[in-house]
Coordinates of all heavy atoms in Angstrom, one line a residue:
F76 N 61.9 96.6 -11.7 CA 62.6 95.3 -11.8 C 63.6 95.1 -10.7 O 64.6 95.9 -10.6 CB 63.3 95.2 -13.2 CG 63.8 93.9 -13.6 CD1 62.9 92.9 -14.1 CD2 65.1 93.5 -13.3 CE1 63.4 91.7 -14.4 CE2 65.6 92.2 -13.6 CZ 64.7 91.3 -14.2
R77 N 63.3 94.2 -9.8 CA 64.1 94.0 -8.6 C 64.2 95.4 -7.9 O 63.2 95.9 -7.5 CB 65.4 93.3 -8.9 CG 65.2 91.8 -9.3 CD 66.5 91.1 -9.6 NE 67.2 90.9 -8.4 CZ 67.1 89.8 -7.6 NH1 66.1 88.9 -7.8 NH2 67.8 89.7 -6.5
Y78 N 65.4 95.9 -7.8 CA 65.6 97.2 -7.1 C 65.7 98.4 -8.0 O 66.1 99.5 -7.6 CB 66.9 97.1 -6.2 CG 66.8 95.9 -5.2 CD1 67.5 94.8 -5.4 CD2 66.0 96.0 -4.1 CE1 67.5 93.7 -4.5 CE2 65.9 94.9 -3.2 CZ 66.6 93.8 -3.4 OH 66.6 92.7 -2.6
L79 N 65.3 98.2 -9.3 CA 65.5 99.2 -10.3 C 64.2 99.8 -10.7 O 63.1 99.2 -10.7 CB 66.2 98.6 -11.5 CG 67.6 98.0 -11.4 CD1 67.9 97.2 -12.7 CD2 68.6 99.1 -11.1
L81 N 63.1 101.5 -14.1 CA 63.6 101.7 -15.5 C 62.7 102.5 -16.3 O 61.5 102.6 -16.1 CB 63.8 100.3 -16.1 CG 64.7 99.3 -15.4 CD1 64.7 98.0 -16.0 CD2 66.2 99.8 -15.4
V98 N 66.9 86.1 -12.6 CA 68.0 87.0 -12.2 C 68.5 86.7 -10.8 O 69.7 86.7 -10.5 CB 67.6 88.4 -12.5 CG1 68.7 89.4 -12.0 CG2 67.4 88.7 -13.9
I102 N 72.3 85.8 -9.7 CA 73.0 86.6 -8.7 C 73.5 85.7 -7.6 O 74.7 85.9 -7.1 CB 72.1 87.7 -8.2 CG1 71.9 88.8 -9.2 CG2 72.7 88.4 -6.9 CD1 70.9 89.8 -9.0
G123 N 67.7 96.6 -20.7 CA 68.9 96.5 -19.9 C 68.6 96.0 -18.5 O 69.5 96.0 -17.6
A124 N 67.4 95.6 -18.2 CA 66.9 95.2 -16.9 C 67.8 94.1 -16.2 O 68.3 94.3 -15.1 CB 65.5 94.7 -16.9
I125 N 68.1 93.1 -17.0 CA 68.9 92.0 -16.4 C 70.3 92.4 -16.2 O 70.9 92.2 -15.1 CB 68.9 90.8 -17.4 CG1 67.5 90.2 -17.4 CG2 69.9 89.7 -16.9 CD1 67.3 89.0 -18.4
A126 N 71.0 93.1 -17.2 CA 72.3 93.5 -17.0 C 72.5 94.5 -15.9 O 73.5 94.4 -15.1 CB 72.8 94.1 -18.4
L127 N 71.6 95.4 -15.8 CA 71.7 96.5 -14.7 C 71.5 95.9 -13.3 O 72.1 96.3 -12.4 CB 70.8 97.6 -15.0 CG 71.2 98.5 -16.2 CD1 70.1 99.4 -16.6 CD2 72.5 99.3 -15.9
A128 N 70.5 95.0 -13.2 CA 70.3 94.3 -11.9 C 71.5 93.6 -11.5 O 71.9 93.6 -10.3 CB 69.0 93.4 -12.0
I129 N 72.1 92.8 -12.4 CA 73.3 92.1 -12.0 C 74.5 93.0 -11.6 O 75.1 92.8 -10.6 CB 73.7 91.1 -13.1 CG1 72.7 90.0 -13.3 CG2 75.1 90.5 -12.9 CD1 72.9 89.1 -14.4
A130 N 74.6 94.1 -12.4 CA 75.7 95.1 -12.1 C 75.5 95.7 -10.7 O 76.4 96.0 -10.0 CB 75.8 96.1 -13.2
Q131 N 74.2 96.0 -10.4 CA 73.9 96.6 -9.1 C 74.1 95.7 -7.9 O 74.6 96.1 -6.9 CB 72.4 97.1 -9.2 CG 72.0 97.8 -7.9 CD 70.5 98.2 -8.0 OE1 69.6 97.4 -8.0 NE2 70.3 99.5 -8.1
E132 N 73.7 94.4 -8.1 CA 73.7 93.5 -7.0 C 75.0 92.6 -6.9 O 75.2 92.0 -5.8 CB 72.5 92.6 -7.0 CG 71.2 93.4 -6.9 CD 69.9 92.6 -6.9 OE1 69.8 91.6 -6.1 OE2 69.1 92.8 -7.8
V133 N 75.8 92.6 -7.9 CA 77.1 92.0 -7.8 C 78.1 93.0 -8.2 O 78.6 93.0 -9.4 CB 77.1 90.7 -8.8 CG1 78.4 89.9 -8.6 CG2 75.9 89.8 -8.6
V158 N 70.9 104.7 -14.2 CA 71.3 103.8 -13.1 C 72.8 103.9 -12.9 O 73.6 103.8 -13.8 CB 70.9 102.3 -13.4 CG1 71.4 101.4 -12.3 CG2 69.4 102.2 -13.6
E160 N 75.0 102.1 -11.7 CA 75.8 100.9 -12.1 C 75.9 100.7 -13.6 O 76.7 99.9 -14.1 CB 75.3 99.6 -11.5 CG 75.4 99.5 -10.0 CD 74.4 100.4 -9.2 OE1 73.5 100.9 -9.8 OE2 74.6 100.5 -8.0
V164 N 78.4 98.6 -17.2 CA 77.9 97.7 -18.2 C 78.3 98.1 -19.6 O 78.1 99.3 -20.0 CB 76.3 97.7 -18.1 CG1 75.7 96.8 -19.2 CG2 75.8 97.2 -16.8

Side-chain angles (χ1 to χ4, degrees):
F76 189 84
R77 291 184 69 87
Y78 303 105
L79 299 169
L81 303 170
V98 174
I102 287 168
I125 293 175
L127 289 168
I129 291 175
Q131 183 182 67
E132 297 181 55
V133 187
V158 177
E160 290 78 10
V164 177

